[in-house]
Amino acid sequence: MASRAPRSDRGDEQLVVSPPKRAAAGVGGIAHGLSAALRQMGVARSTRTLLAVNQDGGFDCPGCAWPEPGHKHTAEFCENGAKAVAEEATLRRVGPEFFAAHPISQLATRSDHWLGQQGRLTHPMVRRPGSDSYEPIEWDAAYALIAEQLRGLASPDEAIFYTSGRTSNEAAFCYQLFARAFGTNNMPDCSNMCHESSGTALTETIGVGKGSVSIDDVEHADLLVIVGQNPGTNHPRMLTALEHAKHNGARIIAINPLPEAGLITFRNPQRPSGIVGSGTPLADQFLQVKLGGDLALFAAFGTLLAGRDEVVDRDFVDRYTEGFDDYRAARREVDWAQVTAATGLSRDEIERAAEALASAKRSIVCWAMGITQHTEAVATIREIVNVQLLRGMIGKPGAGLCPVRGHSNVQGDRTMGIWEKLPAWAPKLADQFGIEVPQRVGYDTVEAIRAMRDGKASVFMALGGNFASATPDTEVTEQALRNCALTVHVSTKLNRSHLVPGAISLILPTLGRTDSDIQIGGRQRVSVEDSMSCVHASTGRLTPASDQLRSEVAIICQLARAVLGDDLPWRDFTDDYRIIRARIAAIVPGFEDFEDRLDQPGGFVLPHPPRDSRTFNTPSGKARFTVNEISAPTVPAGRLLLQTVRSHDQYNTTIYGRDDRYRGIHDGRRVVFVHPDDLAELGVTDASTVDIVSEWTDGVGRRAPGFRVVAYPTARGCAAAYFPETNVLVPLDSTAKGSNTPTSKAIVVRLEPTA
C-alpha cells in the first residue's frame, strides 16, 4: 500500500509545543468558546443562538450527549458546545459558485479543518460519471436519480444506509422504516465505531444495552471511577456534575493512559472560584494504566473484592444475579506479575483503588472509547459489570454503570431501530405499516466497507456524518466508496466524504439543529435521547442558510415516495412530525403518550428495568456474572501501542481549530505523543519528524507520514495521535471480539524517521 501524503492547506511548520495544562475550562474556556462563536456568527446571532442551547423551547446542542441538569444555567453549554453551535450556525456559505471554482481533485488536497471552515451547504449538488466537479441539481431530479439506482439493484442488500448520531429520533425512525420497507437491514451507524462494545456487554449482563444512572446519581455518588474517558474535551459539561459530586463528598478515581487536565482540576467558568480561584481538584487517585490493561485491572479488583464477605452484597447477589460462585472461583487468585505487567501499575496502587470500591456505599463507573475500542473491549466491560454487581451497585440511587455516549443522539438512533439487527419491536413495525420486515442481519460499519470493497454493495447513502473520516483503514474505505455506482450524503457542511465519490455522487443539503423547520403543519420540533435515556425536544429558530435546504425527515420521506410510492404515509410524516411521533408511540416501548410527555420541561426518561426495579431482561431474569480470560496486547520490542484521540479543538471528525491547548499543542495536528523514556530507548529525538507505521497480521505497511514527536507523560510503551489523521493506521480487520468495533485504541506501531 502506498504511503499517504499529508493533506494540508497549511503545514505544521508553525507548531509550538508547551507543557500540558493541569486545569480545564476557566477564563480560557469562555474566551475560546465565545471567540469561535463571534468569528462564525457575529455578536447578535451568537447571543441569540447560544442562549437557546439545551434550554426548554430551544435546541439540543449538536455536540455531545451529556444530559441537561434539573436546574439549568442560563448559559447551559460548554466551550466545545459553543464551537459546535458556531460551526452549524455560521454565516459562511458553500454554494454552486464554490464548487464551480473548486474541482474535487483540488478540494481533496485540503485539510479537514479547511473544508469544515468553508460554511453551510446551500444547494443539492451532483457529481456525474467522469467529472471532477459537482454541479447543481434540482431536488426532484436528485430523488429520481437515487430511485433509479435503488430500483435497479439485483437485491436490496446491495444498498447501505448509514446514520450519524446527530440525526433526530423522528428522522431515524423514518430512515429505518424506509430501509426495511425497501428490503434491507443494512443500517450501519456511528455506534458501530464507539459504544457498540458497551451495548453488547451490557445486554449480555444486565439485559439492557444502556447505562443505568441519571445525572442526579452522578452528583450524589460517593465514588466515581472515570476510566478510558477524557470529559474535559469530549464531554465538558460532565465536569460540572463531577464538581457537584466532589462538593457532596465524593472521591474520584481516574484511570487513563494520558493525564488529562479535565480530571486534574476543573475551573468552573460559571463560578467566581473558577475565574479567580484555583478551581476544584477532581481526581483523588490517578491510575495511569497501559493501553489494553483495563481488563486485567478490573479482574484484579474482582479478586480483591469478591473474596471478602463483608464487601460482597450477598442480598443483592443472591436475589438478583447468577454465576457469582463461578466468578468468585475464577477470581480466587490472580497472577500479580501478569496484572502489573499488563497495567503498568503497582500492586499497591491497585489495592488502594480496590479499597475505595470496597468502602463506597454508592459507586458509579463511567467509561468511553478508551475502553470500547480494544480487542477485549466487551470482556473488559463485563468485568466492570462484575465489580458493580458484587457490590450491589445496580438499581440504587447514586450508583450504577455509565457508558458516556459521544454524539448527541447516537443512543436515540439505536432506540429508533437504526441497527443491522432487528429490534424487539420489529413485528409491530410490520403490522403497523403492512410491510414485510427483512429477517437477514445486515451490514455493520466494518462489514459495509468490506461489501463495498468487494463489489457486494454499490449504493451508499449517509444520513449525516463523515463516513470516510470516521472509519478505519482510510485508504481501503475511500476505495470502497469509489467502487460504488452511487454515493449520497445528506449533510450540513462540506466534508472529506464528499471528495471520495462513487461513479455518481450527490450532496443533499439539510437543516441543522439550530435551523427553523417549517412544514405544512407549521413549525416542527424533533426529539433526541441523551446518554442517560432522557428524551427531550429540540426546536431550531434560525433562518436556514438557503431556501434549498430540506429537513432530514423531508429528504427521507420524499426519497421513500420516489422509490416505494405512496402506500406508506410519507407525505403525512413530512407535513407534521407529530404523526411520526404517534407511530413511534404505538410501536417503540417507553414512548407511550410521546407528544404530551415531550411537552414536559426537560422531557421524560425512558424505562430502564435494572435501574427502576432491579429487573433484568436476560434469559434467566437475573443479572449475569461472567468469567473472562485475562489478557493484554502483546507489543514486540522496539514498537509502541498507539491510541487515536481527539484534540480539544475538535468533535469527532469536525476540526474546529489547530490547537490542543490542554496538551500544549498550538497550530498543528500531526503530532505523536510518546513517553520520554520510550523515546530514549527507541533512539528517537523529541521534536524530530517521523512516519508512524502500523503492523498487522496482513503484512500491509499502513503509514501516516510526517508526524512531529512530542515527549509527553503518557503511560510507558504507549503513544497517542489525533484522528482522523491516523485512522489510516487502523486495520479494517482489527476489531473488538463480540462487537466488531475497530480497535482504534490498540494499534501496534513503529516510528521511522521521515525521509
Side-chain angles (χ1 to χ4, degrees), residues 273-294:
S273 61
I275 302 296
V276 298
S278 58
T280 302
L282 292 182
D284 297 280
Q285 184 180 8
F286 173 42
L287 297 178
Q288 190 167 28
V289 69
K290 286 184 177 180
L291 286 165
D294 305 278

Side-chain angles (χ1 to χ4, degrees), residues 622-638:
K622 293 188 173 185
R624 297 180 56 223
F625 281 91
T626 57
V627 176
N628 305 284
E629 182 180 354
I630 300 176
S631 65
T634 301
V635 182

Side-chain angles (χ1 to χ4, degrees), residues 4 7 108 449 467-469 471-484 496-497 499-502:
R4 169 174 292 281
R7 298 174 174 125
I449 296 169
F467 189 83
S469 287
T471 47
D473 222 340
T474 307
E475 293 186 9
V476 173
T477 295
E478 290 186 353
Q479 188 55 54
L481 289 169
R482 291 189 179 100
N483 286 349
C484 290
R496 179 67 50 197
S497 297
L499 311 180
V500 283

Side-chain angles (χ1 to χ4, degrees), residues 347-421:
R347 180 169 178 172
D348 180 68
E349 288 178 291
I350 296 171
E351 288 178 342
R352 179 184 164 200
E355 192 56 40
L357 286 162
S359 61
K361 295 180 179 179
R362 301 179 306 277
S363 68
I364 294 174
V365 181
C366 305
W367 68 90
M369 267 87 84
I371 293 294
T372 64
Q373 295 179 329
H374 288 275
T375 304
E376 299 293 345
V378 174
T380 302
I381 297 165
R382 288 195 300 238
E383 285 296 326
I384 291 172
V385 173
N386 286 338
V387 169
Q388 290 298 80
L389 289 179
L390 72 86
R391 294 285 293 125
M393 295 295 174
I394 305 288
K396 64 186 292 187
L401 300 160
C402 184
V404 184
R405 310 277 176 174
H407 222 321
S408 58
N409 197 41
V410 62
Q411 185 160 299
D413 287 351
R414 180 59 55 86
T415 302
M416 291 296 104
I418 298 294
W419 197 21
E420 72 275 5
K421 301 173 185 175

Side-chain angles (χ1 to χ4, degrees), residues 129-390:
S131 175
D132 190 32
S133 296
Y134 281 99
E135 60 188 58
I137 185 173
E138 295 298 319
W139 277 104
D140 286 346
Y143 294 136
L145 191 159
I146 300 168
E148 178 184 16
Q149 291 289 325
L150 288 174
R151 289 198 297 260
L153 297 175
S155 164
D157 288 327
E158 293 180 11
I160 293 167
F161 298 92
Y162 175 77
T163 316
S164 160
R166 186 183 61 81
T167 302
S168 70
N169 288 329
E170 291 76 7
F173 182 81
C174 291
Y175 198 48
Q176 63 83 32
L177 175 62
F178 169 45
R180 291 191 165 106
F182 179 66
T184 186
N185 288 317
N186 290 346
M187 283 180 279
D189 76 322
C190 54
S191 289
N192 300 147
M193 292 171 285
C194 54
H195 271 285
E196 196 70 56
S197 299
S198 299
T200 301
L202 293 176
T203 300
E204 290 176 358
T205 55
I206 67 170
V208 179
K210 300 181 181 182
S212 67
V213 302
S214 68
I215 192 169
D216 190 62
D217 289 324
V218 172
E219 294 179 358
H220 291 90
D222 55 23
L223 176 66
L224 290 151
V225 182
I226 314 296
V227 54
Q229 184 194 358
N230 175 18
T233 286
N234 300 332
H235 316 91
R237 286 193 302 137
M238 182 179 178
L239 297 181
T240 301
L242 297 180
E243 180 185 52
H244 288 165
K246 289 292 288 188
H247 290 167
N248 289 332
R251 289 174 52 81
I252 294 177
I253 298 174
I255 305 173
N256 207 53
L258 291 166
E260 301 289 12
L263 283 172
I264 299 172
T265 303
F266 175 43
R267 302 185 65 189
N268 190 338
Q270 296 176 349
R271 292 177 182 269
S273 61
I275 302 296
V276 298
S278 58
T280 302
L282 292 182
D284 297 280
Q285 184 180 8
F286 173 42
L287 297 178
Q288 190 167 28
V289 69
K290 286 184 177 180
L291 286 165
D294 305 278
L295 173 58
L297 177 60
F298 277 87
F301 288 158
T303 296
L304 293 168
L305 298 174
R308 296 171 58 181
D309 290 340
E310 76 279 10
V311 168
V312 177
D313 186 335
R314 289 301 321 200
D315 180 65
F316 176 87
V317 169
D318 292 343
R319 291 179 62 187
Y320 299 111
T321 75
E322 64 177 348
F324 177 68
D325 290 341
D326 290 341
Y327 167 72
R328 183 164 59 176
R331 292 287 168 261
R332 194 174 304 279
E333 295 180 356
V334 68
D335 184 339
W336 280 103
Q338 179 188 24
V339 169
T340 55
T343 63
L345 303 169
S346 69
R347 180 169 178 172
D348 180 68
E349 288 178 291
I350 296 171
E351 288 178 342
R352 179 184 164 200
E355 192 56 40
L357 286 162
S359 61
K361 295 180 179 179
R362 301 179 306 277
S363 68
I364 294 174
V365 181
C366 305
W367 68 90
M369 267 87 84
I371 293 294
T372 64
Q373 295 179 329
H374 288 275
T375 304
E376 299 293 345
V378 174
T380 302
I381 297 165
R382 288 195 300 238
E383 285 296 326
I384 291 172
V385 173
N386 286 338
V387 169
Q388 290 298 80
L389 289 179
L390 72 86

Side-chain angles (χ1 to χ4, degrees), residues 30-66:
I30 297 174
H32 285 82
L34 292 182
S35 64
L38 293 173
R39 285 197 306 273
Q40 298 272 9
M41 297 187 288
V43 176
R45 187 178 177 92
S46 294
T47 302
R48 184 171 69 254
T49 305
L50 292 177
L51 291 179
V53 181
N54 296 325
Q55 301 292 335
D56 295 328
F59 62 91
D60 191 68
C61 179
C64 80
W66 187 254

Side-chain angles (χ1 to χ4, degrees), residues 466-681:
N466 182 1
F467 189 83
S469 287
T471 47
D473 222 340
T474 307
E475 293 186 9
V476 173
T477 295
E478 290 186 353
Q479 188 55 54
L481 289 169
R482 291 189 179 100
N483 286 349
C484 290
L486 173 68
T487 52
V488 182
H489 300 280
V490 179
S491 305
T492 57
K493 301 188 71 179
L494 186 65
N495 66 49
R496 179 67 50 197
S497 297
H498 304 146
L499 311 180
V500 283
I504 303 172
S505 183
L506 285 162
I507 302 174
L508 305 181
T510 189
L511 299 176
R513 291 272 177 84
T514 59
D515 295 323
S516 179
D517 183 356
I518 307 294
Q519 304 295 341
I520 289 175
R523 185 184 300 277
Q524 302 298 311
R525 62 178 177 175
V526 295
S527 63
V528 297
E529 179 184 347
D530 65 33
S531 193
M532 294 177 181
S533 303
C534 183
V535 178
H536 53 273
S538 177
T539 307
R541 297 288 177 176
L542 296 181
T543 301
S546 163
D547 61 6
Q548 288 291 304
L549 269 58
R550 302 290 183 266
S551 73
E552 290 182 328
V553 168
I555 292 170
I556 296 161
C557 292
Q558 187 59 38
L559 177 58
R561 293 180 65 201
V563 176
L564 303 173
D566 285 320
D567 290 343
L568 300 184
W570 305 114
R571 187 192 298 272
D572 294 339
F573 284 173
T574 303
D575 291 348
D576 193 336
Y577 302 171
R578 290 177 295 184
I579 299 173
I580 305 172
R581 288 191 285 273
R583 292 300 188 109
I584 294 171
I587 293 172
V588 183
F591 284 85
E592 298 80 8
D593 301 317
F594 192 175
E595 198 68 39
D596 289 341
R597 294 162 73 200
L598 199 60
D599 288 335
Q600 300 172 5
F604 62 95
V605 179
L606 293 174
H608 189 287
R611 177 200 64 209
D612 301 337
S613 60
R614 290 184 164 175
T615 302
F616 300 93
N617 187 26
T618 61
S620 67
K622 293 188 173 185
R624 297 180 56 223
F625 281 91
T626 57
V627 176
N628 305 284
E629 182 180 354
I630 300 176
S631 65
T634 301
V635 182
R639 306 299 189 261
L640 298 167
L641 201 62
L642 177 76
Q643 64 172 329
T644 68
V645 297
R646 296 174 184 164
S647 78
H648 190 64
D649 248 358
Q650 75 178 97
Y651 190 77
N652 293 341
T653 58
T654 302
I655 314 299
Y656 303 137
R658 290 164 49 84
D659 294 343
D660 189 1
R661 70 178 189 278
Y662 290 161
R663 297 191 182 111
I665 303 300
H666 308 276
D667 206 9
R669 288 185 53 84
R670 298 186 75 83
V671 298
V672 57
F673 301 101
V674 186
H675 195 282
D677 293 345
D678 287 323
L679 291 178
E681 288 186 7

